[in-house]
Every structure is written in C-alpha cells, then in structure tokens.
C-alpha cells in the first residue's frame, strides 16, 4: 500500500472569548465564537504499509521558514502527536507516514495553526485507511490533542463552551471580510502563559460593559460585520501585558475607526471590514505603516482536501 493525500488546514479567529474560573482539571471554562478563515497551511501525507518493514515510522518534513525551528521537537509537534495517537487507537504500529508541511499560519499566534495541522492529520489518516473511525471517535481523539482541535476538524462558525471543545454550529451568518495584523516571526505567545497571566491579574469578569455570548451570536446573525463593535476577548489584557507589540497593532487599527481584537491567546490582532473597498484601504494603510497586514474571508469548513 502506498497512498497520498494533500490537506489544507485553515486558521481560526475568536470573535468572542469569555474566560471563566479555572476548573479542577486546570483548564478554564470558556464561552467562545470560533470562525474559520481562508489562511491555510499545506500538508502532504504519504502513507505506506510495507509487510517486510514492521516498525512504525513518522517523518515530518518542514519547509524552511523563519519559524520552522519552532517545530523540530517531535514530542511537541501536533502532527506527530496526532499520528501517534491515531495509530495507537487503531492498535497498528506498522505504518510508515511522511508529512510534508508548508506553513503559512504563524506559530503560537492565537490562530490555532497547530490545532489545524493536528485535525488535518486525524482526517487524512482516517481517509487514507478507509474510515476506520466515525466522526465521534475522531472528535474524542481531537479533544485529547488540544482544546481547539475539535473545532479545527469541523470549522465554519461555531459556539464553543467547556474548554472550547463542546461545539454547536452557528448557521445563517453572513460572509465576513477580516483584516489581520500578523505578528513578526519572533513575537509568539504561549497559550499556557497567557492563561497564567490572566489568573495572576485576576481578570475573571462578569462582563460589566459587554454583551452576553447569546446576544453577540444574535448580533452576528442579524447585523453581520456591525457586530464587530461588540467583539470581546478576556485574554486581551494578558496578551498586551506579555508583549507591547499587541498594543501597537491594536492602536494601529483603532486609530482608523475600526474595532480591533486579539484572537485567542494572541498575539494576532484583527478587525472586521464593512466591505471590500474599505478592507483594501485599511490593508494598504497598515502595510504602509510596516505591519504584516493580510485580508482573509470567513469560510464554512476548516479542511480543504485534494486527493491524488
Ligand atoms: O488545550 P491546549 O493544549 O491548547 O491548552 C494549552 C494550555 O492553555 C493549557 O495547558 C492550559 O494551561 C491553557 N488553557 C486553559 N483553559 C482552556 C484552554 C487552555 O487554561 N479552556
């Protein structure tokens, strides 16, 4: 057997993220609105089973980039961990897997790039092996890999509760145009550290000036991009505290009359543009100021699959 599949895994934004108290399992209770966007990593999977070579082999070839050194340790690489978990659950350690990874989503940037890669790996292995697992099983494997991995399997616009892994699809949302400011390659934030800072600064709030998540979802459905005024992220203050760049990027957007928000645990900052014309105008201004600004659209699925 020798099979190939190419999967493009997308980035996500959190349009709303309300973080509650830390639970006994060490994770915080969340209420969030996830949205997939058309910013992708490319993963090329080559799977083989050779009867004479019994031992499992998982090889990840990472295209050279300014951040590729951050992915070299197999134990912390989510593609490696996802493949290991999949084969262990299948109770078969005879496969040889090679994954060629081309990263376009910045690492540790609040965009769930790594979670998307893990989701793509679960999906690809299940596809290439003729679907030994139903979606429920894939979702439970995704949960073991990280809080954002279940969403990264499903994609689109979803409400997340629990750790962010209890998901309900939000339908009837309109297409949205986002302007993102991506951080320079040396500015990363570790999710764990952002949550620890959140705890240290005692930032759990009861949303004094913010709309509830139910209201936000209703606004998103009825008013589309106008809901951007009510976007919210409990982790924003921690991200700003940990890196001054976040505040610089937010100010650049806010000073042009838009509502900026940090995505997830940051440092990526984004806004929603009302139309293409204003999106391009804002994009140009931010780029002229030296920011790595990009325009991306909402998409309704997280994984794009090309079979060979
Ligand atoms: O689930 P994931 O591995 O992405 O989480 C990374 C870290 O972020 C966790 O180890 C935890 O410290 C923190 N976290 C949290 N509450 C959540 C999600 C993540 O405290 N709901």
């Amino acid at each position: 057997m020798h099979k190939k599949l190419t999967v493009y895994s997308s980035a996500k934004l959190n349009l709303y993220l309300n973080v509650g108290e830390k639970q006994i399992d060490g994770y915080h209770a969340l209420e969030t609105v996830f949205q997939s966007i058309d910013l992708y990593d490319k993963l090329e999977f080559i799977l083989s089973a050779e009867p004479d070579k019994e031992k499992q082999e998982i090889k990840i070839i990472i295209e050279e980039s300014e951040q590729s050194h951050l992915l070299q340790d197999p134990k912390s690489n989510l593609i490696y961990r996802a493949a290991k978990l999949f084969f262990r659950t299948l109770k078969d350690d005879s496969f040889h897997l090679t994954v060629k990874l081309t990263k376009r989503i910045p690492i540790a940037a609040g965009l769930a790039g790594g979670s998307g890669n893990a989701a793509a790996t679960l999906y690809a292995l299940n596809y290439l092996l003729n679907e030994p697992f139903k979606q429920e099983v894939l979702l439970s494997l995704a949960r073991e890999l990280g809080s954002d991995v279940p969403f990264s399997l499903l994609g689109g616009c979803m409400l997340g509760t629990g750790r962010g892994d209890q998901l309900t699809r939000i339908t009837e949302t309109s297409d949205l145009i986002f302007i993102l400011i991506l951080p320079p390659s040396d500015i990363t934030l570790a999710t764990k550290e952002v949550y620890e800072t959140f705890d240290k600064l005692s930032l759990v709030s009861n949303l004094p000036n913010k709309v509830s998540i139910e209201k936000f979802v209703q606004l998103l459905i009825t008013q589309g991009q106008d809901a951007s005024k009510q976007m919210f992220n409990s982790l924003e203050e921690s991200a700003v505290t940990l890196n001054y760049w976040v505040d610089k990027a937010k100010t650049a957007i806010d000073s042009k009359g838009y509502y900026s928000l940090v995505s997830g645990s940051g440092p990526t900052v984004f806004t929603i543009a009302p139309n293409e014309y204003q999106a391009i105008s804002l994009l140009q201004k931010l780029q002229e100021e030296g920011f790595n600004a990009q325009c991306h659209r909402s998409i309704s699925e997280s994984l794009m699959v090309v079979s060979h």
Side-chain angles (χ1 to χ4, degrees):
M1 182 196 77
H2 188 85
K3 290 176 165 181
K4 287 185 181 182
L5 189 75
T6 299
V7 181
Y8 290 82
S9 67
S10 60
K12 63 84 184 145
L13 297 172
N14 299 86
L15 308 186
Y16 187 104
L17 176 57
N18 184 30
V19 178
E21 301 281 350
K22 194 171 173 176
Q23 311 290 294
I24 28 176
D25 61 4
Y27 284 79
H28 294 74
L30 304 183
E31 294 178 319
T32 190
V33 174
F34 290 111
Q35 175 65 65
S36 306
I37 57 167
D38 63 354
L39 167 61
Y40 297 99
D41 287 337
K42 181 183 182 189
L43 297 96
E44 294 167 85
F45 295 89
I46 305 161
L47 183 69
S48 59
E50 292 162 41
D52 53 325
K53 286 192 201 164
E54 287 276 288
K55 218 169 150 331
Q56 184 185 83
E57 193 179 280
I58 300 169
K59 202 158 92 188
I60 302 169
I61 302 167
I62 302 161
E63 194 197 58
E64 186 75 24
S65 74
E66 283 178 9
Q67 288 192 317
S68 49
H69 64 281
L70 297 172
L71 296 172
Q72 298 306 330
D73 174 17
K75 287 196 196 77
S76 60
N77 187 312
L78 273 163
I79 298 173
Y80 183 85
R81 286 179 46 211
K84 273 263 175 209
L85 178 63
F86 188 96
F87 293 135
R88 193 167 65 235
T89 312
L90 196 65
K91 298 189 172 65
D92 190 330
D93 60 4
S94 65
F95 291 106
H96 288 214
L97 175 70
T98 301
V99 186
K100 290 186 201 159
L101 171 67
T102 311
K103 279 222 78 88
R104 293 282 173 268
I105 306 171
I107 296 165
L111 298 169
S115 301
N117 295 168
T121 305
L122 295 177
Y123 178 88
L125 292 176
N126 205 43
Y127 178 95
L128 291 171
L129 293 169
N130 302 319
E131 306 195 355
F133 299 129
K134 292 203 168 67
Q135 196 180 53
E136 285 147 52
V137 178
L138 288 187
L139 281 169
S140 77
L141 298 184
R143 260 179 213 113
E144 281 188 48
L145 293 164
S147 312
D148 289 342
V149 185
F151 170 74
S152 300
L153 259 182
L154 303 172
C157 186
M158 298 193 95
L159 179 70
T161 55
R163 292 179 181 189
D165 58 345
Q166 305 300 319
L167 299 161
T168 314
R169 187 165 297 287
I170 303 170
T171 51
E172 298 166 52
T173 50
S174 38
D175 294 341
L176 298 170
I177 309 172
F178 297 100
I179 299 296
L180 275 65
I181 303 186
L182 300 177
S185 60
D186 58 340
I187 296 187
T188 57
L189 285 176
T191 307
K192 196 171 183 322
E193 201 185 337
V194 177
Y195 275 101
E196 282 166 3
T197 306
F198 174 85
D199 290 335
K200 244 183 258 161
L201 299 176
S202 303
L203 291 172
V204 172
S205 78
N206 49 7
L207 301 175
N209 301 313
K210 289 290 161 196
V211 297
S212 66
I213 195 153
E214 293 81 10
K215 179 81 182 155
F216 180 76
V217 170
Q218 199 192 336
L219 287 173
L220 197 61
I221 293 169
T222 55
Q223 299 184 13
Q225 67 86 24
D226 265 352
S228 69
K229 297 185 190 98
Q230 302 296 344
M231 293 192 306
F232 174 70
N233 184 348
S234 298
L235 297 178
E236 190 160 80
E237 205 173 320
S238 315
V240 169
T241 305
L242 286 167
N243 201 302
Y244 75 99
W245 178 89
V246 178
D247 199 39
K248 257 175 60 181
K250 276 186 65 63
T251 306
I253 291 179
D254 295 342
S255 64
K256 292 163 192 71
Y258 291 88
Y259 295 86
S260 67
L261 194 74
V262 163
S263 179
S265 52
T268 300
V269 170
F270 71 97
T271 189
I272 310 180
N275 54 51
E276 269 180 33
Y277 177 78
Q278 291 190 41
I280 288 167
S281 161
L282 176 61
L283 187 67
Q284 278 173 351
K285 285 183 195 152
L286 293 170
Q287 286 172 346
E288 278 162 18
E289 288 174 25
F291 288 104
N292 178 9
Q294 296 187 6
C295 182
H296 292 284
R297 287 173 184 275
S298 55
I299 51 172
S300 57
E301 281 178 15
S302 51
L303 303 173
M304 218 164 53
V305 183
V306 183
S307 60
H308 296 267

